[in-house]
Amino acid sequence: MAYGPHTHDDRGRMMAALGIESVDALFEDIPIDVRASRLDLDPPMAELDLAVRLQGLAARNRTDLASFLGAGVYHHYVPPVVDQMLLRGEFYTAYTPYQPEISQGTLQTIFEYQSLLAELTGLEVVSASHYDGATATAEAALMAVRATRRDRVLVSRAIHRHYLDVTGTYLSGGGLVLDEMPTLPDGTTDLAALEAALADAERPVAGVLLGQPNAFGLLEPMAQASQLAHAAGALFIAVVEPVSLAVLATPAEYGADIAAGEGQPLGIAAQYGGPYLGILATTTELMRQIPGRLVGETRDLDGRRAFVMTLRAREQDIRRDKAASNICTNQALCALAATVYLAAIGPHGLRDVASLGAARARELELALAEAGAPRLHSAPYLNEFAIRVPQAQAVHERLLQRGVLAGLALARWYPDDPELRDALLVCATEVTTSAEIRRFAAALGEELA
Amino acid sequence: MAYGPHTHDDRGRMMAALGIESVDALFEDIPIDVRASRLDLDPPMAELDLAVRLQGLAARNRTDLASFLGAGVYHHYVPPVVDQMLLRGEFYTAYTPYQPEISQGTLQTIFEYQSLLAELTGLEVVSASHYDGATATAEAALMAVRATRRDRVLVSRAIHRHYLDVTGTYLSGGGLVLDEMPTLPDGTTDLAALEAALADAERPVAGVLLGQPNAFGLLEPMAQASQLAHAAGALFIAVVEPVSLAVLATPAEYGADIAAGEGQPLGIAAQYGGPYLGILATTTELMRQIPGRLVGETRDLDGRRAFVMTLRAREQDIRRDKAASNICTNQALCALAATVYLAAIGPHGLRDVASLGAARARELELALAEAGAPRLHSAPYLNEFAIRVPQAQAVHERLLQRGVLAGLALARWYPDDPELRDALLVCATEVTTSAEIRRFAAALGEELA
Amino acid sequence: MTDGTALATSARVGAAMAPEEARPGAGRQAMNAALQPTLAELSRPGRGGGKVPHPPADALARIPASALRSAPLALPELNEPEVVRHFVNLSHLNYSVDSGFYPLGSCTMKFNPKLNEWAARLPGFATLHPLAPDELAQGTLELMHELQEALAEISGMAAVTLQPAAGAQGELTGILMIRAYHAARGDVARTEVIVPDSSHGTNPATASMAGFRTVTVPSAADGGVDLAALKDALGPHTAAVMLTNPSTLGLFERRIVELLDAVHEAGALAYMDGANMNAVLGRFRPGAAGFDVMHFNLHKTFSTPHGGGGPGAGPVACNERLAPFLPAPLVVKAAPGSYRLERPEERASAIGRVRAYQGNVGVLVRAFAYIRAHGASGLREISDDAVLAANYLRQRVGQGYELPYAGPCKHEFVASGRALRQATGVRTLDVAKRLIDHGFHPPTIYFPLIVDECLLIEPTETESVETLDLFAEALLAILTEAHDHPERVKSAPTSAPVRRLDEASAARKPELRWRPMTGAGTPCPT
Amino acid sequence: MTDGTALATSARVGAAMAPEEARPGAGRQAMNAALQPTLAELSRPGRGGGKVPHPPADALARIPASALRSAPLALPELNEPEVVRHFVNLSHLNYSVDSGFYPLGSCTMKFNPKLNEWAARLPGFATLHPLAPDELAQGTLELMHELQEALAEISGMAAVTLQPAAGAQGELTGILMIRAYHAARGDVARTEVIVPDSSHGTNPATASMAGFRTVTVPSAADGGVDLAALKDALGPHTAAVMLTNPSTLGLFERRIVELLDAVHEAGALAYMDGANMNAVLGRFRPGAAGFDVMHFNLHKTFSTPHGGGGPGAGPVACNERLAPFLPAPLVVKAAPGSYRLERPEERASAIGRVRAYQGNVGVLVRAFAYIRAHGASGLREISDDAVLAANYLRQRVGQGYELPYAGPCKHEFVASGRALRQATGVRTLDVAKRLIDHGFHPPTIYFPLIVDECLLIEPTETESVETLDLFAEALLAILTEAHDHPERVKSAPTSAPVRRLDEASAARKPELRWRPMTGAGTPCPT
Ligand SMILES: Cc1ncc(COP(=O)(O)O)c(C=O)c1O
Ligand SMILES: Cc1ncc(COP(=O)(O)O)c(C=O)c1O
């Protein structure tokens, strides 16, 4: 066996102590009818052979294209210091810090994570952490339901489709209602429709959910939406992208009660979907409603400052069926990645990352427009936007052959929307190069010619 | 600046304390005539840009060929645990363990390295470490000179050419003599010639140097050579490859006084030449002649076992011009790599590595012979051997275009030897696959057809 | 609120935590882990920078001012050397599997192979975008497909989703599938989920999240489910029974056949919490035995690192009956040797997604490597060794502590400090804290709730018998200490970086972040 | 000899090192670094395995028995979990730059950027075979060429070899080149090399290795070379003068112009030990000033990690006069944008190789990255900051310790504990050991030999002013302690994993390895 220490002698010694001749004796409590004989799996592999196999699989993935795909997950420059800290066994082979005396490393990094995200969002209470942006959004919706004791949530149509889907799943169990609000031609949420929906006295709204930037990369009128929600006694929930918070108004500034989002852009690799980092932040008023882990500052018997998990009465292991959520294992190591990333990149660096993305995206917009694919929407964007491309899906496939991953064909997400059938959602970040932009524009130009 | 902490304020505070207005004041001791103005170098790069540049450079190297090149440096499977331990800052950002109380990590790993290499070589005293196999060999020759007070060293022609060259360089300063011994047609050292050379009473020999396996991959009659050397009052120095010591007789078994060798195969990457690990081991009698670092066991004031650098009176910082060598910085981190590698691979694993290499090499021999390139020599080999290929250098170049790195054209090393002009030195290890062997044989067959 | 000033403005890094005599400097106390200031306290305006190039000045010109931050972002400003020291020194405050024995019951703290960390970081795996078209993702898709199949084989189930991000999310997935199953049959009266009182907290919490009422049934004296009580609770309102097997007492449910019959007879479905599969790999296949659906904890059974609290992965396996309800997309075979994600319309009965994209794929890579390294024989050996080690340790610990349940145990066992407490006043909490001074991470304590002064001990298969012996000796030595020097045990730990914490005041007046920073209005470092 | 039995057979891992009360177990003492057993003591026959496949049984059939080992290889047998714990726990016994301030004079213990560790591990760099044909090695060759050029620019020299593996080997290279130069001119009477008494030990050792007699000249009162003495020593027998500049006293040689004139007038050549270039980047270019040849310590000036004692790299730069003698192969430009290694016949006057292949290329990658990260302005800033920090710290330390030489210093400075010793009996060694208890790595002590009770302190440019202050305060606090509680200082350290060691008996009866192992005759684990 690959990693076990037990030699033949060791097993013999243990069996002798137990007075048994075979380990089979320890499995006699499994009724004979349901005892398994053996598994039909491949034989063990030597580490060398396995390493070769894994290398072969990784090499089968193609990650060498010029990529303009974002749609919620963004390629950023991650300083190597981040992964080198993550590779420290003291962090990644520890468990949830249930014994604070010998877990101050994890506890303090979580406290720092909470603090850093509080700086970014402007909100005071940050949980650490949720599975991903989608589940954090769903938990935010459930928080609104609990806090308002209402059962209807409004969500903009311009929200990431997976987030909508997951929120729907999470609300489905409790028989809660999720209503989608339409968008305007400029790509932002229709506030008049929102206001009307909020006005329905029969069906009071628990929370209103908008993305900033929204699923089309556009900047929403968050302050107005927030006011409308509050006027109707609903909570306002912002789904945010954390790098953008280096330059955009904070959820606190526009009055959001809860911010949810995907922390992947903060130093976490794309990995075909995870592990990522669900961000969830809220106000002090809603502190006791937030699900997930919270670490607080305290003192030890000698008066030394130290950190400890706190407000545990919200959690499943204490409250069982009355808990704020069933979450247990979360994404702590990803929160550590975000913490190291933010410490390494600093406030100026993060602002530069966000601004560079905006500048590169603008360069992309101009190049693509010249190639014949203008923007689809007119609202301002940060670093992602939709372009109008006839037969977008077919063009997208042909561009792959030319080494360009031309973003996301929005028809994949909005199959029923005729306008979005001919649209690609593209993004740029600080790692996008001018050469890649030229390559994309040239290839697209040829396809459209 | 990239890594410095000093802010404008910090500098101001320090300058104020010193009563200066500009750091220029601190450089006034540099005579004005020789003060530099500025350097003509590129401007600083942001880390992101530098990372891209470095990635581009690394990608310009081609490491995707089926490689049969060894000649002293061998590709082996290195379990990832090795590098993950090396990446621990506590090891790689420490200095030479001059303060033993806070350097027991480094000291104990060196002690373990010494012990492991003692097990491998059978010799009691192992230094940790020398720059590489070549300089370890040169230092071994100098040891023999010091120990015997003779000034002539004999070296087999079948020794790695770089080792010969470096040994020559090291001996040149002291006006010492290095004489090469011829080889027999079977590829091993001509013992009769050796005996004759040793018999020259006018020019007494300090040491005799043979490789095992030798530079052609062949097994030498080490015991006989050792006897001849000793009979003439000379020391016998074996240049060994450490993985082979898992299966081959140890230097101690055949009476070597000193073993030198390249530790790269013990978990260290090829890296175009280094850093590697110079192995140097000797007997207890010669303990005080060995250059380089030695760590010994001792106790602290409370009787706890601990480790400390010892026999320091051989070293340059104590003995200055009387030191055994000028070596100071060595290859400690590479010694750590070897230590972790040996701990992880274990005795059975190392035997398997050596045996698999032999098996794959035999497979290679048969395939190449069938393709028309039989072995050049008849002496037994372990995992490397020479084949006869007409116009070897041209064939070697053409095979590159076919994705095969066909070992080393021996003409590069023995330009004046007509027999070796048509020879390639090829090797196999446990990472060589049958598919690669078939590819090589097929391509070679076509070239020779 | 963090009292940043005292620490930060005096520039006496760590000074507040000085041990006797020696005051730790920026070098911290030489070798013994010392507490650290926060990033905010370490920050100095103008430090850091250099990671990314500067953007053009007009980069944000097109963004309306109303959408922009009104105050500049304030984050700590540090240079890389300080960042590294901070996290390296913080890491030294953690106990971890890589540094010692971590017998935390219910958590399966086994060794995390270093090959797997390497594999997950291979650029081909690490940089693949989750929305990349299938043709670009063939390597990962092949891996996921093979993992789905392997988990199906291990569980004896028909189909597997890898989407759930953790065990609890696997539970939610499974229970929502059960809900969808009943709904599809028009069987809408089933509003209850039954759990035993020994169940993990996530089970009832999950049932609630899925909109069910939780009904708790007691355990029998032997630690198994009280079958009579279960039968009483079962009825036309029962949607499912959730059973952890082996249980959190480390016991295999001996009456499993009868139990499953009763569940199914009542028209309910049987959910198995498979978090403890480490005990029964190759010995018990839940699907073959009659469970309808289960989840795995890859971060326990298949040794993906716990990461200080995550990430994990909680794949769900189910039988044919429930397969139509698995959340999409599964990975399916396309042309020979190629793979693709299911298209949204392919399985209309699927419940909605439980998370975005394809799951914690980086975790799946590690689990795949682990399963392939061991193969069929190795997986069985894992369980054999884990169970053997647990029973051996159980016997040794039983030399001084009560063992409330008869053996054999599976991967873990409970012991009780009740008698000790009665005799000495020393509680299990004290014993646990004292173990820290003996060099060990404490076991899980006071869980499951049904055992008085409970210790839940899980050695796993990767700890040597020498280590087990030392741990048992430490536990027994503490018994003696508890009698001879009870204060010593009650005031433990004394060798950890901190002594016991004031958890009450932390909860009463929560300080969940450092004092808000100001600034970063400083000029950008060049 | 290692007393393995006591530790190993009792299976009481680390038991011999128990601190008071708590006996550390396999978990070691929870958080405080505890001493560890050796690999041999941890070994159990039959553990480990699984890394590589098993070879065919006849793999060695063709090897004559006489060439084979007579006894099976005995190495420790461990499984990977034990291996990891062993090295992780050992690492905790080390002080390092990544965990604290390491002001070791003469060693330039600056921060090692993490980007550089990443870069050197890129597979393209890491797996390239050293004998790979040039066309396969273009990336590394380009890097090496660019590094050669950068070092030539920084040194003001004409040509650079990257081959030497460390500073001392650079010295040997340079001195052998000087020997070859004189020999080529038939100037064979030059058998002496002159070194100042403040020189680093490698300088005289190098001269000896290169076959020269060493002549030592004293320092003047101001710390510089005594020019009159030097002139006396110079003559037709002088092959070279080796000068460390800035010197090991941290002083720039103010009389450098006169000195170089004298050397050259005597027909000798001037070697500069450039190990201390961290002080004068962009401020002083040795070649431009008249030195003939010098070496760099990349592991100091350009921040490649010291690795607990190595590896380093010691490139040699020289002027046109000596360039023909540089060891081959250099990296040269081939077709535009392509590079190649010199062919052996290209420079017939080259001295022989000083090591195999192309040098410590992995180290060169890191140094290249460092130079490119900083650029011209950044390199100068490094020296400015290093010198500013040293002078600042010098002033603060001077508030309590003697400063034997006038300032300004360069990258480091000497202080003396002579007065302290006279007043209290506390030696510099004691002060150094006491610094450990204050959380700092001690500076270099008793070097250079010409200063009584010497402390050689080098802060480098990557330590913050807060850290410098704390360190100075610690040193000053020890002065007070030395007066008030001299025994406390003399018995330091008490907070390290071990107290002071018995170095004398280690040297008297050297135990350089553990007791030879037997066995591995056990069956191979499967
Ligand atoms: C029995 C049992 N069920 C469920 C869970 C929840 O799994 P997770 O923490 O991955 O959400 C755990 C984990 O601790 C467990 O032990
Ligand atoms: C002044 C000086 N010269 C030479 C050396 C020797 O360099 P290395 O240790 O790289 O051989 C050193 C290193 O400590 C040094 O400080």
Side-chain angles (χ1 to χ4, degrees), chain B residues 11 13 37 40 53 60-61 92 99 106 112 169 245 253 272-273 297-298 302 305 321 330, chain D residues 2 41 69-70 86 94 114 128 140 142 146 153 199 208 309 353 355 380 385 433 469 499 502:
Chain B
R11 293 195 185 97
R13 209 181 110 205
S37 52
D40 182 16
R53 172 90 205 280
R60 276 195 81 186
N61 289 338
Y92 80 82
Q99 296 288 343
T106 295
E112 313 232 44
T169 307
L245 293 179
E253 285 183 86
Y272 202 54
E297 185 184 319
T298 187
D302 293 339
R305 178 179 68 186
D321 56 326
N330 49 65
Chain D
T2 300
E41 289 154 6
R69 254 186 185 272
S70 54
H86 184 66
N94 265 7
K114 303 313 163 195
L128 184 66
T140 294
E142 179 177 337
E146 219 171 297
E153 170 63 19
S199 68
S208 288
R353 290 179 161 279
R355 51 154 290 168
R380 187 170 169 132
D385 283 349
K433 298 296 181 194
D469 285 339
R499 297 181 59 206
D502 182 354

Side-chain angles (χ1 to χ4, degrees), chain D residues 82-106:
Chain D
E82 279 297 330
V83 173
V84 168
R85 268 190 206 158
H86 184 66
F87 290 103
V88 166
N89 285 314
L90 282 180
S91 81
H92 291 163
L93 301 174
N94 265 7
Y95 197 103
S96 68
V97 173
D98 273 5
S99 59
F101 183 38
Y102 213 127
L104 206 61
S106 186

Side-chain angles (χ1 to χ4, degrees), chain A residues 1 3 5-6 11 13 17-18 24 26-27 29 31 34 36-37 39-40 42 44-45 50 53 57-58 60-63 69-71 73 75 83 88-96 99-103 105-106 108 111-112 114-116 119-120 124 132 135 160 162 165-166 169-170 173 245 247-250 253 269-276 295-302 305 307 310 316 320-321 326 329-331 333 347-348 351-352 355-356 362 381 400-401 412, chain C residues 2 36-37 39 41 53-55 59 62-63 67-70 74 76-77 86 90-91 93-98 102 104 107 112-114 121 124 126-131 135-137 139-140 142 146 153 168-169 179 199 201-202 206 208-210 254 279 283 299 305-311 337 352-362 369 372-377 380-381 385 392 395 410 433 461 463 469 497 499-502 506-507 511-514 517 522:
Chain A
M1 202 188 102
Y3 304 109
H6 298 309
R11 295 196 184 97
R13 209 180 111 204
L18 293 168
D24 290 346
L26 301 175
F27 291 93
D29 49 0
V34 295
S37 52
L39 295 173
D40 182 17
D42 291 338
M45 284 176 95
L50 182 53
R53 172 91 205 279
L57 285 171
R60 275 195 82 186
N61 289 338
R62 290 204 43 205
T63 53
L69 179 56
V73 172
H75 293 298
D83 192 51
R88 293 188 62 80
E90 294 93 329
F91 285 129
Y92 80 83
T93 75
Y95 196 70
T96 302
Q99 295 289 344
E101 297 89 347
I102 49 176
S103 307
T106 295
Q108 183 167 334
F111 180 83
E112 313 233 44
Q114 293 171 183
S115 304
L116 290 163
E119 299 282 358
L120 272 175
E124 288 300 302
D132 70 351
T135 59
H160 191 296
H162 290 187
D165 192 354
V166 171
T169 308
Y170 269 61
L245 293 178
V247 297
L248 297 184
T250 62
E253 285 183 90
Q271 302 173 84
Y272 202 53
Y276 295 161
V295 165
E297 184 183 320
T298 187
R299 300 266 150 190
D300 82 348
L301 281 177
D302 294 339
R305 179 179 68 187
F307 302 95
T310 193
Q316 48 75 29
R320 300 179 65 86
D321 56 325
N326 72 341
T329 290
N330 48 64
Q331 308 281 120
L333 198 67
H348 302 293
R351 215 151 61 193
D352 288 351
S355 305
L356 267 172
R362 172 69 173 162
Y381 67 92
L400 286 182
Q401 310 313 315
R412 244 176 101 174
Chain C
T2 302
Q36 299 295 316
L39 289 168
E41 289 154 4
H54 293 305
R62 293 162 312 106
I63 313 282
L68 292 174
R69 257 187 183 269
S70 54
E77 298 179 59
H86 184 67
L90 281 180
S91 82
L93 300 174
N94 265 8
Y95 197 102
S96 67
V97 172
D98 273 5
Y102 212 126
L104 205 62
C107 302
N112 304 131
K114 303 312 164 197
R121 286 166 169 85
T127 66
L128 185 66
H129 195 285
L131 295 170
E135 60 187 286
L136 305 186
T140 294
E142 179 177 338
E146 219 171 297
E153 170 63 19
Q169 210 188 24
R179 167 179 278 278
S199 68
T202 51
T206 295
S208 287
M209 268 185 106
R254 289 169 185 266
R283 294 275 183 181
H299 43 305
H306 282 284
R353 291 180 159 278
V354 295
R355 51 154 293 169
Y357 316 113
Q358 289 74 238
N360 280 347
V361 181
R372 282 284 164 262
H374 288 88
S377 60
R380 188 172 167 130
E381 201 167 280
D385 283 350
Y392 174 76
Q395 196 197 48
K410 295 269 94 39
K433 297 298 181 194
E461 73 282 4
E463 297 294 338
D469 285 338
R499 296 181 59 205
R500 293 195 202 177
L501 301 185
D502 182 354
E511 303 287 357
L512 304 179
R513 56 164 302 185
W514 62 55
M517 304 184 69
T522 54

Side-chain angles (χ1 to χ4, degrees), chain C residues 246-446:
Chain C
S247 73
T248 51
L249 298 168
L251 300 174
F252 192 90
E253 185 56 58
R254 289 169 185 266
R255 292 176 290 274
I256 191 75
V257 178
E258 221 177 326
L259 188 154
L260 287 171
D261 284 349
V263 170
H264 288 138
E265 225 155 76
L269 296 186
Y271 183 99
M272 191 178 108
D273 180 332
N276 296 336
M277 281 296 286
N278 208 50
V280 291
L281 296 168
R283 294 275 183 181
F284 176 69
R285 298 168 74 224
F291 279 101
D292 298 287
V293 52
M294 68 171 288
H295 78 267
F296 287 96
N297 279 35
L298 299 189
H299 43 305
K300 295 172 59 176
T301 312
F302 301 108
S303 192
T304 73
H306 282 284
V316 167
C318 67
N319 58 19
E320 295 287 1
R321 224 175 346 175
L322 286 172
F325 305 101
L326 283 168
L330 306 178
V331 180
V332 295
K333 276 209 157 154
S338 89
Y339 304 86
R340 62 175 181 81
L341 294 176
E342 272 181 321
R343 282 179 294 270
E345 64 282 5
E346 241 168 305
R347 241 174 345 102
S349 52
I351 64 164
R353 291 180 159 278
V354 295
R355 51 154 293 169
Y357 316 113
Q358 289 74 238
N360 280 347
V361 181
V363 175
L364 305 179
V365 172
R366 294 169 172 88
F368 170 89
Y370 192 76
I371 290 173
R372 282 284 164 262
H374 288 88
S377 60
L379 292 180
R380 188 172 167 130
E381 201 167 280
I382 284 172
S383 290
D384 285 3
D385 283 350
V387 170
L388 179 58
N391 278 283
Y392 174 76
L393 185 56
R394 178 176 179 278
Q395 196 197 48
R396 296 227 43 191
V397 172
Q399 286 158 7
Y401 292 80
E402 282 175 89
L403 298 174
Y405 300 102
C409 66
K410 295 269 94 39
H411 58 295
E412 63 190 355
F413 65 94
V414 288
S416 169
R418 195 181 40 170
L420 177 69
R421 184 179 181 186
Q422 281 161 355
T424 66
V426 168
R427 300 196 53 193
T428 287
L429 178 73
D430 304 318
V431 173
K433 297 298 181 194
R434 185 61 181 155
L435 271 171
I436 293 173
D437 290 332
H438 284 260
F440 293 102
H441 196 287
T444 297
I445 50 174
Y446 301 110

Side-chain angles (χ1 to χ4, degrees), chain A residues 10 13, chain C residues 464-471, chain D residues 11 13 42 44 47:
Chain A
D10 293 337
R13 209 180 111 204
Chain C
S464 68
V465 61
E466 301 95 283
T467 299
L468 304 181
D469 285 338
L470 284 165
F471 177 73
Chain D
V13 184
L42 289 168
R44 295 293 177 277
R47 277 203 190 136

